[in-house]
Amino acid sequence: MSHLTEKTQELLVLPREERALACMREIFLMHPTAMAAELSAQRLVSLPRCTSNAGMSLIAHPGLGKSLLGQRWQTQSCKSNSTWAGKVIYIDLVQNQANLNIMKLFLAEVGRKFYKRPLTLSYRDIALAQQLIKENNVRAVFIDEVPLLSQILSQKRLYGEHGAIKGLSGPDWQLNVMLSGTPDGLREVFSNDATLMTRFNLRKAGLTAWESDYEGESFVNGYLCYMPLNQKSIVNRVLLKNLSDCARTTTTENGDQLEYRSRRAVVDILREACRMVVESGQEYINAESILNAWSSMQGVNKALKILKTRP
């Protein structure tokens, strides 16, 4: 099974039902723009500490992997054998919409990772957090979906959260702050605060959408290396076209409608296609598998197709 990774080959001994579910496990596959963004982040974190520390922006449309990349940076940087110059703390604003307080979320995460309890905004805990950051070589914080602040908070509270972002990169904390968001969302954030723009928008990285080109084909082939299929799949021009048609989505940028293929959609369709061919015993995917998976995901099964074709 040379078409599979070594760990994926170990899954082939599982019963068919378990192997089908293994196709749905979470896998983050690096691609050129994600690799470039990671290199930029690593170079940022390696900078010496100063009174005003540089930051960066990670800009991408929905479904292109901003959150997964931020979580990956936290995981990779916290490993004992990490190649990162320091650790990264990840803060997810989407999961904390009811409590959008960056400093409170940051302190709680520091406490969970390096102390026996989440830390609070008390003077004692703040001093403890600064000590823990130095002892554990924490050098950066990744704030995911930062445009959410302006969509939910009042203007007064928004100024306070922007001040907290600046404070984390200042002399007391000396952290590199990474902000993620959509192009329109970050454009609005920076247009309302020149300090944020000059400090966090000079260094930036973007994540590209999936396309049915050479890189897109490599992405599909790379992902299939992690799918426990007994036979090598047939990835050709027709499969890529079907995948491109099914994964098509639209968003708004600068007031205009923009069509693109999100990598999240591509991965979801591939996983469903692999799951279905394991369940059916086919053990490989082809162009038809993509259409079958898409029909299943859209709630169109064989019974419904028969019903529609009856006179």
Side-chain angles (χ1 to χ4, degrees):
M1 301 296 173
S2 59
H3 62 285
L4 302 178
T5 66
E6 186 175 338
K7 287 189 176 180
T8 305
Q9 291 180 38
E10 297 174 0
L11 300 176
L12 295 177
V13 300
L14 295 175
R16 178 171 294 178
E17 295 79 7
E18 293 183 31
R19 196 155 49 86
L21 289 178
C23 293
M24 308 301 290
R25 69 195 191 283
E26 184 176 86
I27 298 168
F28 181 75
L29 189 67
M30 294 293 281
H31 51 89
T33 53
M35 294 175 187
E38 185 163 302
L39 179 60
S40 296
Q42 287 179 325
R43 288 180 60 83
L44 176 71
V45 172
S46 68
L47 294 174
R49 306 297 93 183
C50 56
T51 56
S52 180
N53 295 273
M56 70 175 281
S57 300
L58 182 62
I59 308 168
H61 293 300
L64 297 186
K66 300 185 297 295
S67 300
L68 287 176
L69 201 56
Q71 293 165 15
R72 169 185 163 86
W73 293 350
Q74 175 176 254
T75 301
Q76 294 292 322
S77 66
C78 290
K79 289 183 176 179
S80 58
N81 59 346
S82 175
T83 59
W84 288 68
K87 295 181 177 65
V88 179
I89 296 293
Y90 173 81
I91 297 176
D92 188 352
L93 296 186
V94 175
Q95 291 189 5
N96 293 279
Q97 294 187 48
N99 186 26
L100 286 180
N101 185 311
I102 289 175
M103 188 57 70
K104 184 183 290 186
L105 294 172
F106 172 71
L107 291 171
E109 190 64 26
V110 170
R112 278 192 291 266
K113 282 198 165 298
F114 308 115
Y115 198 57
K116 53 191 175 184
R117 60 171 175 82
L119 302 181
T120 67
L121 289 169
S122 68
Y123 290 118
R124 180 179 179 180
D125 277 4
I126 289 176
L128 176 58
Q130 291 174 343
Q131 178 186 338
L132 290 170
I133 284 173
K134 291 180 180 179
E135 291 177 353
N136 293 279
N137 192 29
V138 177
R139 283 176 163 252
V141 55
F142 185 102
I143 304 175
D144 198 9
E145 297 296 350
V146 75
L148 195 63
L149 296 172
S150 59
Q151 297 171 13
I152 294 180
L153 301 181
S154 65
Q155 196 66 37
K156 182 178 180 180
R157 284 196 60 196
L158 180 62
Y159 287 147
E161 295 308 306
H162 286 178
I165 294 173
K166 300 169 193 175
L168 287 171
S169 65
D172 290 339
W173 298 97
Q174 296 187 337
L175 296 172
N176 300 116
V177 180
M178 309 174 194
L179 307 177
S180 87
T182 62
D184 276 357
L186 285 176
R187 190 178 298 112
E188 181 181 356
V189 169
F190 296 136
S191 66
N192 292 329
D193 195 313
T195 305
L196 289 181
M197 181 176 65
T198 56
R199 191 175 294 181
F200 304 107
N201 198 39
L202 294 178
R203 298 170 183 263
K204 51 189 174 183
L207 300 176
T208 57
W210 183 87
E211 296 288 348
S212 56
D213 53 12
Y214 177 77
E215 188 272 320
E217 182 178 356
S218 298
F219 183 85
V220 171
N221 282 321
Y223 202 85
L224 291 175
C225 290
Y226 296 90
M227 296 290 101
L229 306 179
N230 279 309
Q231 299 183 46
K232 186 174 175 59
S233 296
I234 302 173
V235 179
N236 54 22
R237 180 177 54 82
V238 182
L239 182 146
L240 296 175
K241 182 183 183 304
N242 290 347
L243 194 54
S244 178
D245 292 342
C246 295
R248 183 172 55 239
T249 187
T250 58
T251 189
T252 303
E253 184 175 353
N254 277 331
D256 298 325
Q257 287 290 313
L258 175 69
E259 184 180 282
Y260 73 105
R261 280 79 182 164
S262 83
R263 294 184 186 265
R264 179 191 298 144
V266 169
V267 165
D268 281 348
I269 296 169
L270 286 174
R271 291 194 299 184
E272 183 65 24
C274 292
R275 178 186 182 183
M276 291 178 67
V277 297
V278 170
E279 291 172 339
S280 68
Q282 180 173 310
E283 296 294 346
Y284 69 92
I285 69 167
N286 54 21
E288 186 180 359
S289 306
I290 300 299
L291 298 181
N292 292 338
W294 181 244
S295 295
S296 175
M297 294 170 72
Q298 295 294 300
V300 180
N301 55 34
K302 291 182 179 179
L304 188 57
K305 286 181 179 179
I306 295 171
L307 181 63
K308 287 183 177 179
T309 57
R310 290 184 62 183

